Amino acid sequence: MDKRIKIKVEHVSKIFKLGKNKEVHALDDISLNIYENEFLAIVGPSGCGKSTLLFIIAGVENTTNGFVYCDDKKIIGPSIGRGVVFQSDAVFPWLTVRQNIEYGPEIRSIPNNEVKEIADTYLKMVGLEKFENLWPKQLSGGMRKRVDLARALANDPDVLLMDEPFGSLDVITKQILQVEIGSLLTNFKKTIFFVTHDLEEAIFLADRIVIMSESPGKIKTVVEVKFGRPRPPQIKVSTKFQKIRAELGSYIETRSIKE
Amino acid sequence: MKSNKGIFNKNVQNALVMVFSIIFGFLVWGLVINRFVDDLYWPTIPSLFGALVQMKVTIALSIGSSIYRTIAGYSLGCILGIVIAYLMSWNRWFNAFITPYIEIIRPIPALALIPFFILWFGIGDLGKILMIAMGAFVIMVITVLEGIFQLDQIYIKAATILGASKWKIYKTIVFPGSLPAIMSGLRINAAFSFGMMIAAEFLGAKTGLGLIIIIARRTMSTNVMLLSVIIIGILAFLFDRLVLSIGRYVTRWMPT
């Protein structure tokens, strides 16, 4: 496996000021390398700053200290090379499924016929060809997630940042999407940064898992998951999977006992 | 037991009752009210139609000039309101500069300024159009600004990440995202503008439905007064329905 560093997070801290004397250390001196084409999951309790880190990498959130580099260049703003799939519903409700997917290419003034081709490709990939002319409100939560993913992919980013994308879905839809999107993403050469609080989801999808602690948000440990990708759903009941699950669980549990 | 026993479904049943209710109202009017109340206070139905036939040319011309003033003032005020609201949200310096003026005119009932407008612009069309426009403008600015302010920031974040510039974000996110607010402003103003038009015509005009009412009051022609009121009601109703159906169409994507 090539180990070229795609994203380098260097001593990043983020402090949110709440009122006059109150501060929250969302991120405390985080350093992390994300390698090219790896699937990196970041797991931690709610409020540990993992989503903040994601939006810092996306370039829409500032750091208090430290810098993030993408391809050795300092990140100073958003770039179409880094796409985001959101936690909550971020699909534009006033655009149809197709128009949502066309949004990125269209605002970059790509010729119309190419925009159409791109949309066709990704509509097919996420299995929404039949729903292309519907409004988002006519879709289920799982389908809207697919639109969000297709919209991010339509810009063909090298880096895909996913912020608890399945967090708001029901368990069944979540499992279906994990399998589908897990295998879909292995067909691409993309670096994936995946935020979740679901350990099993992280083990099922990721090459490496970063465990974070909360307030201040720090990296506790990094664990490698040595399964090939894509992974069949049955892998979740294998002994190896459960062993990793137990190992990671111990990190999370020590935290909760201590506090 | 089935809840629907008759040969008609519920909608048809409701419609039939409504038709009956209207006929009942006319019967009460013609057979009860007119028997006990003098014509001077409440006209008879035949005298209402008599007034319509007798004054059809004057009424038609008045409808024309009243509609013209209302639509002109309404459009001017609404368009200006939308544009200024966008500029205020686009640039904070502009916002800070304009806000005091908006806050000064906001609490003043537009009606209170009618004498000023007559003084400045006379009793012709221009003063009335500007009057209606000013009232509509204030309502529109505030409604649209609120709509932009309430827009979920996640859409702007998503568009920024997908590569949109500030101008593109306004065009593709802020504009459609504030359409529901724009439509509700347009609807509030549809009702407001008609009221404003009549009030302005009461206080001085050469033509218009408001003027007809004022003149008819002097001669105690209650039938002409009521006829004008009914016409105003019908016009305002139709205008509201037009704005409402346009609004429903352009915001058909909205989750209910």
Side-chain angles (χ1 to χ4, degrees):
Chain A
M1 187 183 162
D2 54 342
K3 280 273 191 178
R4 203 180 80 82
I5 294 172
K6 183 73 185 172
I7 296 208
K8 193 173 183 66
V9 179
E10 256 187 10
H11 303 293
V12 164
S13 299
K14 176 78 182 180
I15 299 168
F16 287 108
K17 286 210 161 74
L18 305 170
K20 265 191 176 168
N21 302 312
K22 247 187 137 184
E23 290 184 338
V24 175
H25 284 252
L27 296 169
D28 187 29
D29 196 26
I30 303 274
S31 292
L32 178 69
N33 289 334
I34 307 170
Y35 300 106
E36 189 160 46
N37 301 334
E38 93 166 320
F39 195 128
L40 183 93
I42 182 151
V43 186
S46 308
C48 74
K50 50 199 195 302
S51 295
T52 308
L53 182 58
L54 181 140
F55 286 108
I56 287 172
I57 297 172
V60 291
E61 187 89 67
N62 296 322
T63 62
T64 307
N65 275 307
F67 296 104
V68 182
Y69 302 85
C70 179
D71 294 321
D72 298 324
K73 281 195 290 283
K74 200 181 276 180
I75 293 174
I76 47 164
S79 147
I80 53 162
R82 279 169 276 126
V84 171
V85 179
F86 292 85
Q87 176 183 13
S88 52
D89 245 325
V91 169
F92 304 132
W94 49 83
L95 299 181
T96 63
V97 170
R98 170 177 282 277
Q99 289 167 334
N100 260 287
I101 297 171
E102 287 175 344
Y103 187 86
E106 190 151 315
I107 53 165
R108 283 187 288 132
S109 311
I110 286 173
N112 278 342
N113 56 332
E114 276 178 55
V115 172
K116 211 180 156 301
E117 270 172 43
I118 292 170
D120 287 338
T121 310
Y122 291 100
L123 273 168
K124 196 159 173 243
M125 196 172 294
V126 295
L128 291 175
E129 311 103 298
K130 281 186 196 146
F131 306 97
E132 59 172 333
N133 293 322
L134 294 189
W135 300 111
K137 69 167 177 184
Q138 295 167 292
L139 306 177
S140 67
M143 284 156 96
R144 280 201 289 272
K145 258 310 101 116
R146 289 169 209 243
V147 178
D148 196 345
L149 176 72
R151 181 179 71 176
L153 290 174
N155 258 356
D156 197 22
D158 311 329
V159 179
L160 192 60
L161 307 162
M162 302 175 86
D163 183 21
E164 292 189 46
F166 311 141
S168 57
L169 303 174
D170 62 90
V171 181
I172 311 234
T173 313
K174 187 172 172 167
Q175 289 191 346
I176 294 169
L177 280 187
Q178 281 172 0
V179 175
E180 264 188 34
I181 287 173
S183 72
L184 190 153
L185 290 175
T186 35
N187 300 329
F188 290 103
K189 291 246 173 257
K190 287 199 194 301
T191 307
I192 296 159
F193 182 85
F194 190 99
V195 169
T196 178
H197 56 241
D198 181 338
L199 265 181
E200 289 202 2
E201 179 171 272
I203 303 165
F204 181 68
L205 292 169
D207 299 318
R208 264 194 323 148
I209 299 172
V210 175
I211 306 264
M212 276 182 77
S213 64
E214 68 180 317
S215 48
K218 275 188 167 215
I219 294 179
K220 264 193 162 174
T221 187
V222 181
V223 178
E224 229 169 295
V225 183
K226 286 173 181 154
F227 295 126
R229 286 199 287 135
R231 296 164 190 167
Q234 305 87 284
I235 205 168
K236 286 189 179 176
V237 292
S238 70
T239 356
K240 245 174 127 184
F241 190 97
Q242 289 305 326
K243 242 182 94 183
I244 303 170
R245 168 85 179 74
E247 186 195 339
L248 290 178
S250 68
Y251 284 100
I252 307 267
E253 271 126 42
T254 49
R255 181 199 66 90
S256 57
I257 290 165
K258 209 172 68 191
E259 286 168 2
Chain B
M1 248 183 77
K2 291 267 162 63
S3 61
N4 206 355
K5 294 189 294 186
I7 34 166
F8 302 121
N9 70 27
K10 274 188 180 165
N11 289 336
V12 178
Q13 285 171 358
N14 289 345
L16 285 174
V17 174
M18 282 183 215
V19 170
F20 174 76
S21 158
I22 291 167
I23 293 169
F24 177 76
F26 275 105
L27 287 176
V28 171
W29 180 354
L31 300 178
V32 183
I33 297 179
N34 287 150
R35 177 162 298 182
F36 300 106
V37 177
D38 194 278
D39 271 15
L40 190 63
Y41 294 99
W42 192 255
T44 61
I45 297 170
S47 75
L48 207 64
F49 281 102
L52 180 64
V53 174
Q54 195 194 334
M55 298 185 60
K56 56 183 182 292
V57 179
T58 320
I59 287 175
L61 291 174
S62 298
I63 291 176
S65 59
S66 289
I67 287 184
Y68 162 68
R69 289 166 192 155
T70 311
I71 300 292
Y74 173 83
S75 314
L76 184 66
C78 289
I79 291 170
L80 216 60
I82 295 168
V83 171
I84 296 294
Y86 281 131
L87 290 176
M88 284 170 79
S89 80
W90 175 280
N91 185 296
R92 73 185 177 89
W93 300 104
F94 183 73
N95 185 32
F97 186 81
I98 290 291
T99 299
Y101 294 97
I102 302 279
E103 290 303 320
I104 288 167
I105 33 178
R106 171 146 82 150
I108 300 171
L111 291 169
L113 294 171
I114 291 179
F116 269 107
F117 277 72
I118 291 175
L119 179 69
W120 295 333
F121 304 102
I123 56 167
D125 284 341
L126 182 65
K128 292 178 185 60
I129 291 171
L130 292 179
M131 193 72 247
I132 296 167
M134 199 199 76
F137 166 79
V138 176
I139 294 174
M140 206 64 193
V141 167
I142 290 158
T143 314
V144 176
L145 265 182
E146 186 64 17
I148 297 172
F149 184 70
Q150 300 256 311
L151 184 63
D152 195 336
Q153 289 299 308
I154 199 166
Y155 301 129
I156 290 168
K157 211 173 194 178
T160 311
I161 289 167
L162 288 164
S165 60
K166 191 176 176 184
W167 167 246
K168 286 265 170 71
I169 286 173
Y170 264 75
K171 209 174 116 185
T172 61
I173 309 295
V174 177
F175 175 64
S178 59
L179 267 179
I182 291 179
M183 292 323 303
S184 75
L186 287 177
R187 200 151 170 235
I188 297 166
N189 275 339
F192 168 82
S193 300
F194 267 94
M196 219 32 223
M197 175 267 290
I198 294 299
E201 287 178 354
F202 275 180
L203 289 171
K206 291 173 202 148
T207 53
L209 290 164
L211 181 72
I212 291 186
I213 294 177
I214 289 293
I215 293 171
R217 193 187 68 93
R218 282 182 207 140
T219 58
M220 288 294 180
S221 314
T222 334
N223 54 346
V224 178
M225 283 162 61
L226 185 64
L227 180 66
S228 306
V229 170
I230 292 171
I231 291 170
I232 292 162
I234 293 170
L235 292 178
F237 173 79
L238 292 176
F239 190 43
D240 179 66
R241 284 301 139 129
L242 177 71
V243 175
L244 180 66
S245 50
I246 294 172
R248 286 218 175 114
Y249 180 76
V250 298
T251 59
R252 64 196 183 286
W253 48 267
M254 252 172 74
T256 40

